[in-house]
Amino acid sequence: MTQGYRQDIRNIAVIAHVDHGKTTLVDGMLRQSGLLRENAAVVDRVLDSGDLERERGITILAKNTAIRYGDTVINILDTPGHHDFGGEVERTLVMADGVLLLVDAAEGPLPQTRFVLEKTLELGLPAIVAINKIDRKDARPQQTLDEVYDLFIDLGATDDSIDFPVLFTNGRAGVAHRSLDDGSTDLRPLFDLILEHVPPPPDHSEAPLRMHVNNLGWDDYVGRLIIGRIREGSIEQGQGVFVHGGDASPQAGRIMRLYGFSGLKREEIPRAYSGDIVAIAGIEHVFIGDTVTATAQTEPLPRIRVDEPTLAMNFRVNTSPFAGKEGRYVTSRNIRDRLDRESKANVAIRVEETDSPDVFRVIGRGELQLGVFVETMRREGFELMLSRPEVVTRREGDHLLEPQERLLVDCPQEMIGTVSELLGPRKGRLLEMNPTGDRAKLVYQIPTRGLIGFGGEFLTETRGLGIMHTHFDGWIPWQGPITARRTGAIVADRVGRATPYALFHLQPRGTLFIEPNTQVYEGMVVGEHSRDNDIDVNVCREKKLTNHRAAGKDDKVLLAPPRKLSLEQAIELIRDDELIEVTPSAIRIRKRILSANQRPRSVAARVRAEEKAHRAL
């Protein structure tokens, strides 16, 4: 190959806020490129292949695919839209030469839109803007486009960056228009615009090999897969290579298999060149951010850097009375090995040792990211306990700083007062209020601590009609104590099985989490008290049997359905003196100190403990 550019390749990342239609649009691109037959039995959002992704309807892991349009291969990088998975976006963007920015025609730019666009501008990547979901009844494409221009200007984009091409798309129908009235019936305008606007990768095939490790995969037949873009040089099967990782000396390895991408499949290829995105097998000890080179003397590429994680949780060995009965992996060694594997495959997660060998501090981007990780561990057969999330702080001189979020709330106008009452005690500060019809958009700045446990309360108080989005917004001085859960806990005081009779008489005291015949132990939280204090109760109490009968019939035991907590709901709910017990078959909340006699029961004692912790910070 001659020195110049690879005109036969385009590398483009698809970026957007969560649920703005990225993966659905990629479905249409795959179908219209001929890689998916029109009558093929393929589910929607085909790239969301993980069980959790399909259950939650969001993209969690970045993925790549490739289509052929004419004589050009278009490598498409699908990225998550939720800010908790921003690390996936950051390490994926470095493989791209341009981006396709999707914005919902009704919702307009949202916090994650700002985040992904900011990263794109930092890397100097050209953008194609697609105003998506133009088929919505409340779509306002022209106004949304004006908001996108405002966002570019607000982020300090250059004149060249602001001069972006625009498409109006309906991802579900597989249609793209250069103007709203051009009569297009397919995605050809999108394909043509990618070829015109996304620059081809430079051809450095004659230089020594340098390839970034951007992603890791697994194949049951060949083992560990390294996925990345060849920056310089070429690579072939059987070639000897060296892996540069961190500060360690280069490790030798050999390419046993080399794969290219075509649609949903990997295809074995003999050789690849600079600009190609490939997967290689044969090297086990490699981590994201490493560089693969042809010689030990070749200078490695700069390591991939992502924004600092802001939320921490303690992962503990399960010490509850039911420990070891439901899971396969229960020891500290099992948990440590799993955390090490995750931290090496996910650049947005960091694991730190603590004073106890059975407790590990895991730092991530947010409650959703950590919750998804724990749910994955749970399904793999792990047992563990989790502490309440806490923010990561930093010191600058004598000042203690904590992370801050920009919160966007979309709610009915009559609920503005309710939202303000919720956010006031959490140190939220209103920046903007924009009424649109019968709804309003509110923009707040709020400490990250103030959002812990806020999501469930927000949905309850807005009766499910409110929508909230957040985005990391820098560091601010420590804002002082913030009110946590305002209700107490209903705590079991003995081991046994819950009876309908006992639960029936406890219903007026609050909301129950368990149903009859549930096995409980002393210190297990079985409900949420309607007042602000904890109460210890006997949920195993049975009705006394006598040989005397009342004249009338016994009262029927009518129980309201219990509130079944998901993992994210449990993370939001717990207090500092509580832990979450996670096993493959159950999620339980328990007190740190199980014995009622040793546990402080008054609100005053808990408040004093919280104030002491804040003074220590």
Side-chain angles (χ1 to χ4, degrees):
M1 291 186 177
T2 59
Q3 193 75 16
Y5 290 89
R6 294 283 306 275
Q7 298 293 341
D8 58 334
I9 289 180
R10 297 294 189 276
N11 297 317
I12 186 168
V14 186
I15 59 176
H17 188 84
V18 64
D19 201 31
H20 277 200
K22 299 179 304 300
T23 308
T24 302
L25 182 65
V26 173
D27 281 358
M29 296 173 74
L30 288 168
R31 288 189 182 280
Q32 294 189 25
S33 67
L35 291 171
L36 295 179
R37 301 192 314 274
E38 288 298 327
N39 61 347
V42 178
V43 295
D44 291 337
R45 298 182 294 107
V46 67
L47 288 186
D48 285 348
S49 53
D51 291 341
L52 285 174
E53 291 179 314
R54 302 209 65 81
E55 289 172 16
R56 295 166 185 262
I58 60 173
T59 301
I60 294 173
L61 299 175
K63 303 175 187 69
N64 59 290
T65 183
I67 62 175
R68 180 172 288 278
Y69 183 63
D71 297 328
T72 305
V73 173
I74 301 176
N75 289 309
I76 303 171
L77 307 164
D78 187 25
T79 63
H82 197 285
H83 79 285
D84 278 17
F85 307 107
E88 297 284 319
V89 178
E90 292 170 276
R91 65 182 170 84
T92 301
L93 284 178
V94 298
M95 288 195 286
D97 294 307
V99 300
L100 175 62
L101 174 66
L102 264 68
V103 182
D104 189 297
E107 297 181 359
L110 292 175
Q112 183 69 0
T113 314
R114 169 182 286 268
F115 169 78
V116 294
L117 180 57
E118 187 176 17
K119 296 300 176 184
T120 297
L121 296 176
E122 286 177 6
L123 294 171
L125 300 177
I128 299 171
V129 173
I131 308 301
N132 196 31
K133 300 188 181 182
I134 56 174
D135 57 317
R136 287 183 55 162
K137 292 181 180 179
D138 55 349
R140 45 187 187 88
Q142 291 296 345
Q143 186 178 345
T144 297
L145 180 57
D146 291 339
E147 293 173 0
V148 173
Y149 278 114
D150 292 341
L151 180 59
F152 269 78
I153 294 171
D154 189 38
L155 292 175
T158 64
D159 292 343
D160 290 339
S161 299
I162 295 177
D163 189 22
F164 52 79
V166 179
L167 288 170
F168 300 93
T169 60
N170 178 354
R172 187 171 295 278
V175 178
H177 308 274
R178 295 214 180 194
S179 61
L180 286 169
D181 55 356
D182 67 4
S184 173
T185 58
D186 55 26
L187 291 175
R188 287 183 189 175
L190 172 58
F191 294 136
D192 291 337
L193 204 53
I194 291 174
L195 298 191
E196 295 170 15
H197 194 70
V198 176
D203 184 5
H204 298 307
S205 300
E206 303 302 325
L209 170 66
R210 292 204 298 177
M211 170 184 163
H212 242 156
V213 179
N214 296 94
N215 205 350
L216 298 175
W218 180 264
D219 186 281
D220 291 337
Y221 296 100
V222 299
R224 171 75 71 192
L225 290 174
I226 301 171
I227 301 170
R229 171 175 167 170
I230 303 173
R231 288 290 172 181
E232 297 175 355
S234 60
I235 194 169
E236 61 183 6
Q237 287 200 31
Q239 177 180 346
V241 295
F242 289 84
V243 178
H244 299 255
D247 298 328
S249 58
Q251 301 293 315
R254 186 167 297 278
I255 307 301
M256 305 307 296
R257 294 284 190 277
L258 178 63
Y259 300 97
F261 293 91
S262 178
L264 306 179
K265 300 180 295 182
R266 292 192 304 267
E267 296 181 344
E268 196 166 338
I269 56 177
R271 193 176 183 91
Y273 303 90
S274 69
D276 287 326
I277 295 176
V278 297
I280 59 179
I283 304 174
E284 292 296 322
H285 302 290
V286 63
F287 309 116
I288 288 176
D290 291 353
T291 302
V292 178
T293 65
T295 67
Q297 292 73 35
T298 305
E299 186 72 18
L301 294 163
R303 290 193 71 80
I304 298 173
R305 302 295 179 188
V306 300
D307 286 347
E308 288 291 312
T310 57
L311 208 64
M313 293 176 68
N314 286 338
F315 285 41
R316 300 164 172 262
V317 172
N318 189 6
T319 57
S320 296
F322 298 163
K325 295 182 178 180
E326 300 169 355
R328 287 185 296 160
Y329 307 111
V330 299
T331 66
S332 60
R333 180 180 59 83
N334 295 143
I335 296 174
R336 179 187 286 108
D337 291 346
R338 182 64 181 87
L339 294 178
D340 286 343
R341 292 203 310 271
E342 185 67 20
S343 65
K344 291 167 183 174
N346 190 338
V347 292
I349 280 185
R350 201 166 67 225
V351 179
E352 297 177 352
E353 298 285 343
T354 66
D355 296 336
S356 170
D358 294 337
V359 181
F360 309 94
R361 191 167 188 253
V362 180
I363 307 174
R365 284 287 182 90
E367 293 172 63
L368 178 61
Q369 183 199 29
L370 294 174
V372 165
F373 174 39
V374 174
E375 181 66 28
T376 302
M377 292 181 63
R378 177 189 174 208
R379 297 186 182 196
E380 292 171 356
F382 282 85
E383 273 191 26
L384 68 156
M385 295 193 304
L386 308 173
S387 71
R388 185 173 187 266
E390 58 184 23
V391 295
V392 178
T393 58
R394 60 167 61 169
R395 281 198 175 274
E396 289 187 1
D398 296 332
H399 300 288
L400 180 67
L401 304 182
E402 65 174 320
Q404 176 178 252
E405 304 282 333
R406 183 174 290 258
L407 170 65
L408 174 63
V409 173
D410 186 332
C411 67
Q413 289 203 33
E414 63 268 20
M415 294 181 177
I416 292 176
T418 301
V419 173
S420 299
E421 289 179 6
L422 290 176
L423 291 173
R426 295 173 176 270
K427 311 287 187 182
R429 185 164 59 91
L430 181 64
L431 300 180
E432 299 177 24
M433 185 189 314
N434 301 310
T436 54
D438 59 347
R439 297 180 70 86
K441 287 187 177 180
L442 313 175
V443 180
Y444 284 85
Q445 279 184 333
I446 182 171
T448 302
R449 280 185 302 136
L451 292 175
I452 297 175
F454 175 68
E457 189 177 8
F458 171 76
L459 287 177
T460 300
E461 295 297 328
T462 61
R463 301 195 297 275
L465 300 175
I467 302 170
M468 57 174 280
H469 303 287
T470 60
H471 170 56
F472 176 68
D473 197 31
W475 298 82
I476 56 174
W478 182 265
Q479 298 295 296
I482 290 179
T483 305
R485 189 180 81 214
R486 292 175 290 184
T487 55
I490 303 175
V491 187
D493 66 358
R494 67 196 67 196
V495 176
R497 287 190 179 274
T499 64
Y501 177 77
L503 296 179
F504 175 74
H505 288 90
L506 286 173
Q507 282 186 140
R509 309 296 294 271
T511 304
L512 297 176
F513 299 154
I514 62 171
E515 55 191 15
N517 291 321
T518 301
Q519 191 76 24
V520 300
Y521 54 80
E522 183 181 10
M524 176 175 161
V525 176
V526 297
E528 184 178 1
H529 194 201
S530 56
R531 299 186 179 182
D532 60 0
N533 63 306
D534 297 342
I535 56 171
D536 295 294
V537 298
N538 178 8
V539 295
C540 307
R541 184 161 61 103
E542 297 181 351
K543 186 176 182 180
K544 298 298 182 183
L545 300 178
T546 70
N547 59 352
H548 297 286
R549 287 287 182 185
K553 295 181 179 179
D554 290 340
D555 292 335
K556 290 184 179 180
V557 176
L558 299 177
L559 294 175
R563 178 185 173 191
K564 293 287 187 180
L565 295 176
S566 66
L567 182 58
E568 280 79 19
Q569 289 171 331
I571 291 174
E572 289 184 349
L573 186 69
I574 63 170
R575 283 174 161 170
D576 291 333
D577 64 339
E578 296 167 348
L579 297 169
I580 304 172
E581 180 186 0
V582 179
T583 74
S585 57
I587 295 171
R588 307 180 184 97
I589 296 178
R590 50 156 283 184
K591 290 294 182 179
R592 286 177 183 263
I593 301 173
L594 296 179
S595 173
N597 293 331
Q598 301 175 18
R599 194 185 324 127
R601 298 166 67 176
S602 68
V603 177
R606 185 167 59 247
V607 170
R608 286 195 299 270
E610 291 175 354
E611 289 177 349
K612 183 179 178 181
H614 289 308
R615 284 197 300 270
L617 285 171

